Amino acid sequence: MSKRFAEQHGTQGGRTTGVNRCASSGTERQGQLATIREVLELLRNGGADFTDLEPIRTRYRQQFGDERCQVCPVCHNGYLGVVFLPVQEGTLCLPYDAVTSDMMEQFVLDEAHLLDCEECGQLLQELNTQYASLSTELETIHAKLKGDTSGRKEKSHLESVLEEVNKYVFEAGHCVSVQRPINDISRELVQAMAEAYETPVYLGTYESDQLTPYTGQQICNFQYNFCVPVDSKELKCRLRFGIHSAMEFEGFYQLLISLGGHILFWR
């Protein structure tokens, strides 16, 4: 049992104590999920790699229609990435420090733990940094390949604001060299998106399927979670059913990015 696992669970009659289950979807039939102890014993008896999870992934496919196992290939806390697996206690986070062609992700079992709200937020920021940076770079490359120079003045403003966002998120928790508060940067991001797109941009929250057109109105801190340049029915549908887990957020985030949207950060 890892030290972090022990700290999360305590020793009071085998019951979990102090565990934040914000990443659990609440829609699974919890009794049919594996327990943390079951997963860790399976990994210890094998090679502590992704392929050892096959019995549980197969079991989940049979019970729920998919294996409920999600790989997050983003560097986090010094590791290459993490794998998320729903368990009875919440969402199990399995960091990995290597990937092989036959055994896939190699887990660091001493760091296995339940995903809590604080770490989930940190991972969301790290995902946003990586994908926003990649999206911006691909947009630039795409424009060059098309030979399209129209609108580059507006796009360069958006790109410069996104660079500030990425730098701020990347340096979160360290000595931040970005001079402006992230709240001001988020508001300018909305303005830059409005300038860059001919169609209106829309503001939204994770708690509602309503998208609010941006018309230059004042935006308060924490009022909105994201900005998107299209009034997307698919995006509204995802919001209508709610975002209850890291895996559901990843699906929402990928759709948001594909639509040209961005997360807004506040503090």
Side-chain angles (χ1 to χ4, degrees), residues 15 29 44 50 53 59 85 100 124 131 143 147-148 150 155 163 190 256:
R15 296 184 62 186
R29 290 162 285 180
R44 288 195 186 95
F50 186 83
L53 294 175
R59 169 176 151 190
L85 183 71
T100 64
L124 294 180
Y131 287 115
D148 180 11
S150 63
K155 286 291 185 180
E163 286 177 2
V190 176
L256 180 70

Side-chain angles (χ1 to χ4, degrees), residues 1-264:
M1 180 182 301
S2 72
K3 179 180 178 182
R4 190 166 184 178
F5 174 83
E7 289 174 349
Q8 286 184 321
H9 280 67
T11 58
Q12 300 179 8
R15 296 184 62 186
T16 60
T17 59
V19 176
N20 189 321
R21 302 182 184 182
C22 74
S24 179
S25 69
T27 59
E28 263 85 29
R29 290 162 285 180
Q30 290 295 115
Q32 293 183 322
L33 294 171
T35 64
I36 291 181
R37 193 176 300 276
E38 180 183 352
V39 174
L40 294 184
E41 286 181 356
L42 182 65
L43 293 174
R44 288 195 186 95
N45 292 332
D49 53 58
F50 186 83
T51 58
D52 292 326
L53 294 175
E54 181 59 30
I56 293 177
R57 290 161 51 217
T58 299
R59 169 176 151 190
Y60 283 8
R61 281 195 296 269
Q62 293 172 346
Q63 293 171 335
F64 308 118
D66 65 71
E67 60 188 42
R68 296 290 198 265
C69 190
Q70 182 71 42
V71 179
C72 180
V74 174
C75 292
H76 177 64
N77 290 340
Y79 298 103
L80 288 179
V82 293
V83 169
F84 300 122
L85 183 71
V87 291
Q88 290 187 19
E89 299 85 349
T91 297
L92 181 60
C93 183
L94 295 166
Y96 61 87
D97 59 0
V99 180
T100 64
S101 59
D102 52 349
M103 299 300 180
M104 309 301 289
E105 289 77 10
Q106 306 291 301
F107 299 128
V108 183
L109 290 187
D110 286 343
E111 293 299 322
H113 59 280
L114 285 177
L115 188 66
D116 62 23
C117 218
E118 180 180 359
E119 184 179 15
C120 188
Q122 182 183 357
L123 276 164
L124 294 180
Q125 288 189 337
E126 291 166 353
L127 279 169
N128 183 70
T129 298
Q130 176 169 315
Y131 287 115
S133 178
L134 178 60
S135 176
T136 300
E137 183 63 25
L138 286 175
E139 285 177 0
T140 302
I141 295 172
H142 189 230
K144 289 181 179 178
L145 290 174
K146 290 195 306 180
D148 180 11
T149 59
S150 63
R152 292 305 297 167
K153 181 177 180 180
E154 291 77 14
K155 286 291 185 180
S156 65
H157 180 205
L158 176 57
E159 290 167 0
S160 66
V161 177
L162 285 173
E163 286 177 2
E164 284 192 88
V165 174
N166 294 339
K167 191 172 185 180
Y168 188 95
V169 174
F170 179 76
E171 296 182 1
H174 305 285
C175 181
V176 180
S177 60
V178 176
Q179 299 300 314
R180 296 193 299 154
I182 188 60
N183 295 342
D184 292 343
I185 297 173
S186 291
R187 277 185 276 269
E188 185 171 352
L189 174 57
V190 176
Q191 295 172 358
M193 289 180 64
E195 295 171 3
Y197 295 94
E198 295 181 359
T199 56
V201 296
Y202 298 85
L203 300 161
T205 71
Y206 302 139
E207 292 77 28
S208 171
D209 63 352
Q210 299 299 312
L211 297 179
T212 303
Y214 175 70
T215 58
Q217 69 268 33
Q218 181 180 358
I219 300 175
C220 298
N221 298 344
F222 301 98
Q223 186 176 4
Y224 298 104
N225 299 119
F226 62 88
C227 184
V228 63
V230 291
D231 188 3
S232 168
K233 291 183 179 179
E234 185 178 357
L235 192 68
K236 287 181 177 180
C237 183
R238 284 183 178 269
L239 292 168
R240 188 173 304 120
F241 286 101
I243 302 174
H244 306 288
S245 69
M247 286 182 287
E248 288 177 355
F249 181 87
E250 175 65 11
F252 162 81
Y253 182 78
Q254 292 291 348
L255 175 59
L256 180 70
I257 291 299
S258 71
L259 296 171
H262 297 285
I263 300 294
L264 302 176

